[in-house]
């Protein structure tokens, strides 16, 4: 329970103040835990930040994997991937701001490498989904890895726009635009 409180507080502090200006003292205070409890769970700010980002991405992949275990079309798989990715960022605005704005903000090399590793695992997973679609003749003949990177980039940029200009946008519009662009560009139309 303390760990969850710490992670939630850290997300708020990192997204509000940025990685460099965030302090372990402030995170402990916001989580309403003693500093000893904070350091019991996390050795320092870098490990806390890394855990926050990697667990968020791991949660996303786990949700998508479990949802795709059913027998659905490639178009439905893409729709579910987009929905889960949007859910992760739009339901966790603090995590989204961290991913969008803090990953290049003076983080230690080891932390960046670990975050990049989980990001690359997500790209590989999405590439595999697209490759299966291509093997079934559902996907156009495109580089699946580049398509996966493009899908992720589009989702993240659209989410960033929503978080900064959200009062003019509706979540369903984001989903519809992304799914329409991705499916019309990648999926072969059966005639």
């Amino acid at each position: 329970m303390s760990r969850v409180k710490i992670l939630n507080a850290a997300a708020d502090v990192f997204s509000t103040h940025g990685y460099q200006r965030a302090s372990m003292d402030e995170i402990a205070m916001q989580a309403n835990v003693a500093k000893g409890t904070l350091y019991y769970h996390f050795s320092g700010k870098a490990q806390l930040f890394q855990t926050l980002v990697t667990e968020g991405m791991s949660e996303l992949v786990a949700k998508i994997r479990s949802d795709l275990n059913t027998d659905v079309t490639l178009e439905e798989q893409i729709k579910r991937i987009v929905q889960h990715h949007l859910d992760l960022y739009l339901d966790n605005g603090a995590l989204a701001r961290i991913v969008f704005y803090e990953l290049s903000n003076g983080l230690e090399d080891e932390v960046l490498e670990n975050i990049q590793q989980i990001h690359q695992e997500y790209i590989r997973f999405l590439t595999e989904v697209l490759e299966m679609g291509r093997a079934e003749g559902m996907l156009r003949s495109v580089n699946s890895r580049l398509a996966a990177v493009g899908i992720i980039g589009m989702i993240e940029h659209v989410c960033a726009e929503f978080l900064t200009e959200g009062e003019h946008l509706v979540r369903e519009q984001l989903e519809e635009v992304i799914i329409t662009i991705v499916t019309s560009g990648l999926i072969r139309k059966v005639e």
Side-chain angles (χ1 to χ4, degrees):
M1 173 118 159
S2 292
R3 186 177 190 279
V4 172
K5 285 174 38 179
I6 292 167
L7 287 170
N8 289 336
D12 289 340
V13 172
F14 286 134
S15 71
T16 302
H17 301 295
Y19 177 77
Q20 294 298 328
R21 292 187 7 234
S23 73
M24 293 295 271
D25 288 335
E26 186 172 358
I27 293 167
M29 188 171 62
Q30 185 156 335
N32 199 26
V33 299
K35 273 181 67 174
T37 302
L38 178 65
Y39 282 102
Y40 172 78
H41 291 287
F42 303 98
S43 62
K45 185 166 75 168
Q47 185 203 17
L48 179 53
F49 185 86
Q50 175 183 313
T51 300
L52 189 63
V53 174
T54 58
E55 284 185 7
M57 291 302 293
S58 294
E59 179 183 317
L60 171 65
V61 172
K63 281 183 179 178
I64 292 171
R65 280 189 194 279
S66 69
D67 199 24
L68 296 186
N69 283 335
T70 60
D71 189 28
V72 296
T73 65
L74 177 63
E75 188 167 353
E76 181 62 25
Q77 289 179 34
I78 290 170
K79 181 178 179 182
R80 291 179 184 186
I81 288 167
V82 169
Q83 288 169 334
H84 285 303
H85 205 131
L86 287 173
D87 288 344
L88 174 71
Y89 288 140
L90 299 182
D91 293 344
N92 302 291
L95 176 63
R97 284 180 190 83
I98 290 167
V99 170
F100 300 152
Y101 307 118
E102 292 299 317
L103 291 185
S104 60
N105 199 5
L107 296 174
E108 290 85 356
D109 288 341
E110 182 181 339
V111 172
L112 279 175
E113 287 172 21
N114 289 331
I115 292 171
Q116 282 294 2
Q117 182 179 358
I118 195 86
H119 192 258
Q120 290 302 317
E121 288 172 19
Y122 182 51
I123 291 170
R124 281 191 293 276
F125 165 71
L126 187 49
T127 300
E128 290 170 13
V129 170
L130 296 175
E131 282 295 320
M132 288 189 297
R134 187 164 61 176
E136 295 170 1
M138 300 298 297
L139 184 73
R140 296 179 193 267
S141 182
V142 298
N143 181 308
S144 296
R145 178 171 168 70
L146 289 178
V149 170
I151 291 169
I152 293 167
M154 182 176 11
I155 293 170
E156 291 180 353
H157 284 284
V158 168
C159 285
E161 178 70 15
F162 181 81
L163 291 170
T164 57
E165 301 293 329
E167 69 272 1
H168 299 85
L169 303 170
V170 177
R171 184 198 187 282
E172 289 75 21
Q173 291 173 321
L174 306 180
E175 188 176 309
E176 179 185 356
V177 165
I178 294 168
I179 291 170
T180 300
I181 291 170
V182 172
T183 57
S184 65
L186 291 176
I187 296 179
R188 289 180 189 257
K189 299 299 176 202
V190 181
E191 299 178 24

